Amino acid sequence: MTTTPWLTDAEIDDLCTGLVNNAAKIRHLRRLGLTVNQKPNGRPLVIRTHAEAVLAGLQQLQQAPTPPAKHVPNLAAYRESFCKTPQAA
């Protein structure tokens, strides 16, 4: 049996047990951390490899937040910009 690149409706229904409304299923899947698109019929569409990575916990490890780079102002240039005398035209 070949698998599709996206989760089947049965697999999505299994993840969303108890939910009937497609909008509710999409909200639930997004709360799980999945990126969810919507099919033309309104049903959720989730890429299989993404779902497997997120549900296995691998996605969170790869996207660990990096600390922001520290920006240090150039104080000498700042002071110099205010100490310049206006030039006569």
Side-chain angles (χ1 to χ4, degrees), residues 18-39:
L19 298 174
V20 179
N21 189 310
N22 288 331
K25 290 178 184 181
I26 291 171
R27 282 193 307 271
H28 174 69
L29 293 169
R30 286 183 177 154
R31 274 190 229 119
L32 291 176
L34 297 171
T35 300
V36 183
N37 293 314
Q38 198 170 9
K39 294 180 183 178

Side-chain angles (χ1 to χ4, degrees), residues 27-74:
R27 282 193 307 271
H28 174 69
L29 293 169
R30 286 183 177 154
R31 274 190 229 119
L32 291 176
L34 297 171
T35 300
V36 183
N37 293 314
Q38 198 170 9
K39 294 180 183 178
N41 64 0
R43 300 228 359 128
L45 177 67
V46 180
I47 301 299
R48 181 176 303 282
T49 54
H50 171 67
E52 290 171 352
V54 170
L55 296 175
L58 300 177
Q59 193 73 16
Q60 288 81 12
L61 294 176
Q62 292 173 354
Q63 294 180 351
T66 56
K70 295 206 174 195
H71 298 284
V72 180
N74 185 346

